[in-house]
């Protein structure tokens, strides 16, 4: 197969892969972020402590994460057909990709949010802030560098999932690698596909790492850095009071 024959196939496949991964990432972030925060809030000592709800949500997330993606695709075929009207193509692939990524991203969010300094939460509570204020002003802004790193990890995982989805007619680079590279013995095309995936993943990882480092150097966003400054000044003020 010549380059002029491969080029349109690769262009279409790259577009399909980016389409599937983009929409799946968006859905995973929108659904996984509140789910991960809820796992922290309902845990023991959390702002909305509810151990029963925490265990139930945690078990659902664990079961969803434990399913191999290829099995998840098959299990969701009827649901996918209900949502999209078909079980093949890039639109159909978005359903299992997003559902598989939501619990994965939720656990990453949980880990990121748990790393936030509890003193900042106490400071906002002392100022009369409610749970929503704490989530919006402290937990999310302070964990933003880690959340960006988690999103990057999710995107990379979804690219791998999308390649697997290509084996069952979802389209994308995985479909090209299997249909042409493997089944038709077009070894050159298969290795080009592998190289494209490696380059795309490297660029996404670089961009995600750069964004996370930039935010980390700036100390996150929002009012939380000011709260840290106020907390740092409190001991000094207390010492002045003792001297007086």
């Amino acid at each position: 197969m010549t380059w002029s024959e491969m080029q349109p196939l690769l262009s279409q496949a790259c577009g399909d892969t980016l389409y599937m991964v983009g929409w799946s990432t968006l859905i995973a972030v929108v659904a996984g972020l509140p789910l991960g925060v809820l796992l922290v809030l309902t845990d023991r000592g959390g702002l909305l402590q509810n151990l029963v709800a925490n265990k139930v949500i945690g078990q659902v997330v664990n079961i969803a994460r434990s399913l191999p993606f290829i099995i998840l695709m098959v299990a969701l075929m009827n649901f996918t057909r209900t949502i999209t009207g078909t079980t093949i193509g890039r639109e159909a692939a978005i359903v299992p990709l997003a559902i598989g990524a939501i619990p994965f991203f939720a656990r990453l969010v949980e880990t990121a949010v748990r790393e936030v300094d509890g003193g900042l939460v106490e400071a906002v509570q002392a100022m009369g802030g409610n749970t929503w204020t704490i989530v919006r002003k402290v937990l999310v802004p302070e964990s933003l560098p880690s959340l960006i790193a988690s999103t990057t990890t999710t995107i990379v995982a979804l690219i791998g999932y999308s390649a697997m989805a290509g084996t069952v007619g979802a389209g994308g680079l995985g479909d090209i690698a299997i249909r042409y590279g493997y089944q038709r013995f077009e070894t050159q095309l298969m290795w080009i596909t592998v190289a494209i995936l490696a380059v795309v993943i490297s660029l996404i990882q670089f961009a995600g790492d750069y964004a996370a480092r930039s935010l980390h150097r700036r100390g996150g966003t929002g009012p939380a850095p000011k709260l840290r400054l106020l907390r740092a000044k409190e001991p000094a003020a207390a010492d002045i009071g003792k001297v007086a």
Side-chain angles (χ1 to χ4, degrees), residues 93-136:
I94 291 173
V95 176
L97 284 172
I99 292 177
I102 287 171
F104 178 81
F105 184 69
R107 282 300 186 190
L108 295 177
V109 170
E110 180 189 11
T111 302
V113 172
R114 287 190 189 280
E115 295 174 355
V116 176
D117 184 3
L120 298 177
V121 175
E122 294 173 2
V124 176
Q125 285 180 311
M127 296 177 192
N130 56 23
T131 301
W132 169 243
T133 300
I134 292 171
V135 171
R136 187 168 56 92

Side-chain angles (χ1 to χ4, degrees), residues 44-177:
R44 190 181 304 276
L47 298 173
L48 301 175
Q49 178 175 315
N50 188 324
L51 297 183
V52 174
N54 184 267
K55 292 296 182 184
V56 171
I57 297 171
Q59 281 300 110
V60 171
V61 169
N62 290 338
I63 292 172
R65 287 182 61 202
S66 67
L67 291 175
F69 180 69
I70 192 69
I71 295 177
L72 182 65
M73 288 182 62
V74 174
L76 290 175
M77 278 188 174
N78 289 334
F79 180 71
T80 300
R81 185 181 292 109
T82 301
I83 297 296
T84 65
T86 181
T87 57
I88 60 174
R90 62 183 191 176
E91 283 77 16
I94 291 173
V95 176
L97 284 172
I99 292 177
I102 287 171
F104 178 81
F105 184 69
R107 282 300 186 190
L108 295 177
V109 170
E110 180 189 11
T111 302
V113 172
R114 287 190 189 280
E115 295 174 355
V116 176
D117 184 3
L120 298 177
V121 175
E122 294 173 2
V124 176
Q125 285 180 311
M127 296 177 192
N130 56 23
T131 301
W132 169 243
T133 300
I134 292 171
V135 171
R136 187 168 56 92
K137 296 291 187 180
V138 179
L139 296 183
V140 173
E142 279 295 287
S143 60
L144 194 56
S146 296
L147 291 177
I148 290 177
S150 299
T151 303
T152 304
T153 302
T154 303
I155 293 173
V156 172
L158 280 170
I159 291 175
Y161 290 164
S162 70
M164 195 182 305
T167 63
V168 292
L173 291 169
D175 179 49
I176 294 295

